[in-house]
Amino acid sequence: MNKVSTANFQGDSASNPVVFPLPVHVQADAAQDNLPQESECEWEITSFVSGASAQVQRPTTADKAAPSEQASVPSGAPAGARGGQTLVTWLQPRAVSRPAPAGADQSASIQDQDANASQSPEQPVAERLPTTRVWGVEFAQVSMQQAVDMADRVVQARRPEYFITANLNYLMLSDQHPRLHEVNRQCCCMLADGQPIVLRSRLGNQPLPARVAGSDLIVELAKLSAEKGYRIFFLGGAPGIASAASAHLKARFPEMQIAGVYSPPFRPLSAYEQTEMIRAIRDAETDILLVAFGQPKGELWIYDNLQDIGVPLAIQMGASFDFLAGTARRAPRIWQNLGCEWLYRALSDPRRLLPRYGKNLMFLLYLLLQDIKNVGQRKIGSPVKDSWREQEREVLRPQR
């Protein structure tokens, strides 16, 4: 990469920096910098704030670059943005091959095509997959490869959709947060990221094929990006984690396209910061947005902002960023196959994870007790609800 310019702006304090992706305009002389002289070159601009983890890659197309360079910070930055941080801009060229238009009248920009696709009623939407109901939640009957194929179709459909990787903890959170019921219903593909869910499905007539772990899915999506050229944006995680995770995948799949990397501060964002963050994701021409905000914050944020983001596919990925970055250890394959990955993680970080997994275990016991109750009702011919929570609502519903 060639470092081409820097622009200074300030934050209100070192402990509470104002972090927002700033649009930066950069021009460079390709001949002077010995850059490739293709007929068309796509410029990847990466911006990040020193002292904070923020990185955005924004593509623009330029056939001929001007022999000058400049970086401009837009007006309208927050009044409190004062201090001593630096916005650093990097420029990286990448040759792209696009078919030549048949004629001037038939040419259209990528933005116009996306807008027409979103407004056209004839545009096909990715077909929903058959599901299996487990503990009141509809899970897609898919293997890992089928999930990746579904992601491919969703990106090609160019309509905002989202996947959910649901484990036992997410089911417990769904019980505690009523809003998640609607989030789950609107989900394009609910993936079973928990061995207890898969095992429970095998007691019914439509068992799930296999567990689809988010930690494995993120690797398959990186591979899909390398094969199809889909642009992936990494959002969230502790400072530096998303960058390390994306770098790990880039080293494994050199052809993977990274749209951007941004780790917002661990505090509520201002309206300006939220708007600029969403704008950066859109301007980066993101195809797949991977979010690491934690459960259920990530799922709720995607649901609330899906249309504004306009990304074809968004997924909350849990601890996948940490596994790739090396800040957390994933259980060996034998532990995963035995369905004891949760136990391995709990033992590796007992202070933080033992309380959580203890609650999950109690929740699982409660679900199993409800299953036993359902079996007894079937034996005596009583109607049985698909969801154990629906049974509780039936008991609490006032009699007329």
Side-chain angles (χ1 to χ4, degrees), residues 9-337:
F9 76 100
Q10 305 188 2
D12 56 348
S13 67
S15 60
N16 188 24
V18 176
V19 181
F20 49 89
L22 295 174
V24 178
H25 175 66
V26 179
Q27 294 177 325
D29 187 354
Q32 178 180 350
D33 291 342
N34 296 321
L35 301 180
Q37 300 291 328
E38 282 81 6
S39 60
E40 187 176 27
C41 194
E42 185 174 68
W43 302 91
E44 290 186 349
I45 300 176
T46 302
S47 304
F48 65 92
V49 180
S50 62
S53 179
Q55 185 176 357
V56 176
Q57 294 181 327
R58 184 168 303 155
T60 59
T61 302
D63 291 333
K64 185 175 180 181
S68 63
E69 58 181 4
Q70 63 180 5
S72 60
V73 179
S75 59
R82 302 196 170 110
Q85 297 185 352
T86 301
L87 177 70
V88 185
T89 302
W90 303 82
L91 181 67
Q92 181 183 17
R94 184 181 71 248
V96 295
S97 59
R98 296 190 177 96
D105 296 337
Q106 297 178 356
S107 61
S109 64
I110 296 178
Q111 291 83 358
D112 293 338
Q113 294 175 7
D114 292 344
N116 294 336
S118 62
Q119 296 174 2
S120 174
E122 293 81 16
Q123 180 71 16
V125 180
E127 183 181 355
R128 294 306 196 266
L129 297 167
T131 61
T132 296
R133 191 174 183 86
V134 180
W135 290 319
V137 177
E138 298 289 343
F139 288 92
Q141 299 176 16
V142 294
S143 63
M144 177 61 71
Q145 186 57 51
Q146 289 172 325
V148 175
D149 293 342
M150 180 65 173
D152 188 14
R153 293 195 299 271
V154 168
V155 173
Q156 292 184 30
R158 310 307 299 176
R159 291 193 178 184
E161 300 278 5
Y162 60 93
F163 287 6
I164 293 178
T165 57
N167 53 16
L168 188 61
N169 185 67
Y170 184 78
L171 294 187
M172 185 182 72
L173 294 173
S174 296
D175 177 60
Q176 299 172 353
H177 297 267
R179 283 197 64 207
L180 287 179
H181 299 163
E182 179 62 21
V183 175
N184 296 342
R185 280 193 294 268
Q186 297 297 328
C187 174
C188 174
C189 186
M190 179 73 71
L191 301 174
D193 186 3
Q195 198 64 24
I197 298 172
V198 177
L199 294 177
R200 172 60 181 83
S201 73
R202 293 174 182 172
L203 298 179
N205 297 326
Q206 296 178 318
L208 297 172
R211 178 191 177 201
V212 182
S215 303
D216 296 325
L217 178 62
I218 189 173
V219 177
E220 295 299 323
L221 292 176
K223 180 180 178 182
L224 180 67
S225 168
E227 294 173 350
K228 297 294 186 71
Y230 296 151
R231 298 175 59 81
I232 300 181
F233 199 108
F234 296 78
L235 178 66
I241 298 299
S243 297
S246 63
H248 176 89
L249 292 174
K250 183 70 173 179
R252 184 170 177 180
F253 304 101
E255 300 301 320
M256 181 184 72
Q257 304 298 310
I258 300 178
V261 176
Y262 181 52
S263 295
F266 289 127
R267 58 172 173 78
L269 298 181
S270 66
Y272 176 84
E273 292 171 330
Q274 175 82 352
T275 300
E276 288 301 303
M277 182 174 69
I278 292 176
R279 181 180 300 168
I281 297 171
R282 290 181 62 95
D283 291 350
E285 298 182 5
T286 303
D287 297 307
I288 301 174
L289 175 64
L290 303 180
V291 181
F293 286 167
Q295 294 176 331
K297 181 180 177 181
E299 288 83 2
L300 291 172
W301 186 87
I302 291 174
Y303 178 79
D304 291 337
N305 298 279
L306 184 65
Q307 299 304 320
D308 292 334
I309 298 170
V311 173
L313 178 59
I315 313 175
Q316 157 66 29
M317 297 305 297
S320 301
F321 285 15
D322 296 283
F323 293 146
L324 293 172
T327 56
R329 291 185 59 185
R330 194 178 178 192
R333 184 65 61 179
I334 186 173
W335 288 70
Q336 299 177 37
N337 295 336

